[in-house]
Amino acid sequence: MAAHMRRRLRKGATTTAVAAAAVAALAASQAPAATLADGSAGSGDPKAAGEDTASGETDGAATGNSPYYTDLPPLVTPDKPGSSSNLPAAGSAEAGIPASVLAAYKQAERTVATTDPSCRLPWQLLAAIGKVESGQARGGRVDANGTASPRILGPALNGQGFALIKDTDGGAYDGDAVHDRAVGPMQFIPSTWASWGQDANGDGRKDPNNIYDAALAAGRYLCANDRDLALAADLDQAVLSYNRSTEYLRTVRSWYSYYQRGTHEIPDGTGTLPSTPSTPTPSPSPGTGSGPSATPSPKPSPDKPGGKPSPGPSKPGGGGSTSPTPKPPTPKPTPPSATFGSLENAGTGPLRATAGQEFDERVSVLARNAVGAPLAKVPVTFTVTGGTGTLFAGGKKTVTVRTGADGTATAPKLRAGEKAGEFTVTAVAGTVRPRTLTYAATVTARQADAIARTDEKALVAAPGEKFADAVAVKATYKDAAAAGVAVTATMVKDRLGVIDNDKGPYFKDADGKPVRTLTTLTTDADGQLRLPEIFADDNEGTYLLRLTTEGGASVVIELTVKAPEETTPEEPAPDATETPAATKP
């Protein structure tokens, strides 16, 4: 390993000191080597490398903490910073990514972006893990459908140098009915694949040996627990959930940074298989008191400068032992079938209602899991915001409803307030990174489709006097009394109300001044309205009063101003019984 690193350092001596320091740090952290079987990524016999190993638990890692490649990226940047991945198929095959493999990574990135956009999964992270786990599917040795041929298997996780994982799949994926093995280009152990497996190429199968299926499964696994991979801390947690080793994290990070700076596509089957594997030393679960335990024994490590002794696992029965520091258990990632992925509108229509009335439409949302299927039992909080006075049934502004088996949650009915205007209903679900939907809603003023006088008396006043009879009307909507409807009364010159009148009858405002338009009128609970007193000025004639309701109904009423007719006293007729006066001769 040291010789290998010296060759690499000589080759890249012209690069930055930062890159060299990163490589040196990584080299110093190398775990004991293990021999890889030719053509089998992550497999090998730990004894063949002259190193002893110990068994342990997987801590929920996707790969079972199985071996991986520790080769580092070339020290020569593939292209200038910020270059795209669509570079010509030229340059080092070690730096290039086989065409089908690269296509699978990019397809996985696009798919996850639609179902879990807040995760912000970069395809370069999948490429980095694929490089470390299987050397990009053994240099792109896949068939036309993207399936590795032959299949890629890790060593039996039998506790002899690796984790002890007894068979969970009956050998269906790994061909081993005794112990599990990591499988495929992304090296999933069968139990993890059972929860996270995907069918990304549409062939009806979830095949861990297919690069398209495996890349999408890896992407969803990395996004578990509401991670945002644009955040360094979340990205580190995601990588460590794949293989719980700080060395593994540094190696993946190194390739991730390398691919971000630029890479290029190469033909399938022409990639270079990495040569330096790692044999992880599993950490026993604290306090379990069961399972094989590691018995470290100091011995020189050829991978560390100066050959200083470092603790290494000893063979069973070796002398001397020290207890390893217990490692706190790490929660296993929630499988995608139970992971909240997205919140969508479940078909809510326009939200409109008349003041004081119930909305016909109800707000409904759909929760999906990380793989896009409906997710039940997700709490969704609905909140009304605005100044219309609208509330949910029961008089609440905020309610929480859990999604049902079909993934939908429907808020209670809304009752419009008395004030016309717009408001919003917000639906929120999720805790780590909440998903939010906002619905616009409108409260319209109470309406009437008809208005008419309640009597037929002629309305007449003398100049300078007031009308003796008040104007009374009733508004209706669909033949029912329309309560609380706004009515505007205006003196007009024409029946359509196009031209307002500036003479003739008038109302009085609060200060006693004449006004010919009133806009503050509202029908009572029976839909009726009695107008204020109306006065006549000195102009005689027939005038028009137009009443218009919210909703467009109107009625035109005639007002007549005329002086009373003058009458002359009549002479009494002669009494027929009266004797005529005698006339003088």
Side-chain angles (χ1 to χ4, degrees), residues 69-432:
Y69 291 113
T70 63
D71 285 23
L72 299 176
L75 293 179
V76 179
T77 303
D79 203 81
K80 62 183 179 181
S83 63
S84 75
S85 62
N86 299 317
L87 299 176
S92 169
E94 183 180 19
I97 301 177
S100 294
V101 179
L102 180 59
Y105 296 149
K106 291 185 175 181
Q107 176 178 296
E109 178 191 62
R110 292 191 300 269
T111 301
V112 172
T114 62
T115 59
D116 190 6
S118 58
C119 174
R120 296 191 280 185
L121 170 73
W123 68 261
Q124 292 92 340
L125 180 58
L126 295 175
I129 291 176
K131 180 69 174 179
V132 173
E133 290 294 346
S134 69
Q136 309 297 19
R138 290 197 304 257
R141 289 170 177 81
V142 297
D143 62 19
N145 295 321
T147 302
S149 180
R151 62 182 178 176
I152 302 171
L153 294 174
L157 299 175
N158 55 13
Q160 301 300 312
F162 309 109
L164 174 60
I165 306 179
K166 295 183 179 180
D167 176 63
T168 62
D169 65 331
Y173 294 121
D174 57 11
D176 190 333
V178 179
H179 298 96
D180 274 348
R181 298 169 181 258
V183 183
M186 305 304 283
Q187 289 288 275
F188 280 96
I189 55 174
S191 58
T192 305
W193 184 259
S195 296
W196 295 86
Q198 304 290 309
D199 175 20
N201 64 350
D203 64 356
R205 298 177 60 225
K206 297 178 181 179
D207 184 0
N209 276 291
N210 182 275
I211 184 57
Y212 291 95
D213 293 357
L216 181 57
R220 296 201 188 284
Y221 183 91
L222 294 167
C223 288
N225 299 326
D226 289 329
R227 294 190 186 104
D228 179 356
L229 300 182
L231 303 178
D234 279 11
L235 188 144
D236 287 351
Q237 290 176 2
V239 174
L240 287 172
S241 77
Y242 216 88
N243 193 311
R244 302 193 184 284
S245 161
T246 54
E247 176 202 4
Y248 179 85
L249 172 61
R250 287 193 294 268
T251 307
V252 169
R253 273 284 197 175
S254 180
W255 281 104
Y256 174 53
S257 177
Y258 179 78
Y259 288 139
Q260 282 186 310
R261 294 195 300 271
T263 185
H264 59 275
E265 179 183 300
I266 59 175
D268 288 347
T270 63
T272 300
L273 193 65
S275 59
T276 308
S278 169
T279 302
T281 301
S283 299
S285 299
T288 60
S290 62
S293 61
T295 306
S297 174
K299 64 187 303 180
S301 171
D303 291 331
K304 293 189 177 183
K308 293 183 179 180
S310 62
S314 67
K315 295 182 180 180
S321 65
T322 57
S323 299
T325 301
K327 178 180 178 180
T330 303
K332 294 184 179 181
T334 305
S337 59
T339 301
F340 178 48
S342 63
L343 191 67
E344 304 170 7
N345 184 358
T348 306
L351 297 169
R352 290 191 292 266
T354 302
Q357 304 299 313
E358 277 191 347
F359 283 74
D360 292 331
E361 195 73 19
R362 294 170 67 180
V363 177
S364 185
V365 299
L366 170 63
R368 295 186 183 275
N369 61 22
V371 295
L375 184 61
K377 299 182 180 179
V378 175
V380 181
T381 299
F382 299 92
T383 303
V384 174
T385 303
T388 64
T390 301
L391 299 170
F392 290 111
K396 297 180 179 180
K397 294 187 67 173
T398 300
V399 294
T400 299
V401 180
R402 288 184 177 271
T403 58
D406 61 352
T408 63
T410 302
K413 281 195 171 184
L414 288 162
R415 176 170 286 278
E418 291 299 330
K419 184 177 180 180
E422 296 183 348
F423 68 97
T424 60
V425 179
T426 303
V428 180
T431 55
V432 178

Side-chain angles (χ1 to χ4, degrees), residues 486-574:
V487 179
T488 299
T490 306
M491 303 296 177
V492 295
K493 289 184 177 181
D494 60 294
R495 288 186 171 272
L496 295 179
V498 176
I499 303 174
D500 292 351
N501 209 335
D502 57 357
K503 65 180 181 178
Y506 60 89
F507 303 102
K508 287 184 179 180
D509 63 13
D511 297 327
K513 296 180 180 179
V515 293
R516 290 185 167 85
T517 297
L518 295 178
T519 60
T520 58
L521 306 173
T522 305
T523 61
D524 61 18
D526 297 323
Q528 297 189 10
L529 172 64
R530 185 182 180 88
L531 270 63
E533 292 180 327
I534 302 175
F535 300 86
D537 62 7
D538 295 333
N539 297 289
E540 295 189 15
T542 298
Y543 297 90
L544 301 178
L545 168 62
R546 190 170 194 267
L547 304 180
T548 305
T549 71
E550 188 72 38
S554 65
V555 62
V556 177
I557 300 170
E558 290 188 355
L559 302 173
T560 301
V561 179
K562 69 176 182 179
E565 295 181 0
E566 294 183 1
T567 59
T568 57
E570 296 181 359
E571 294 183 0

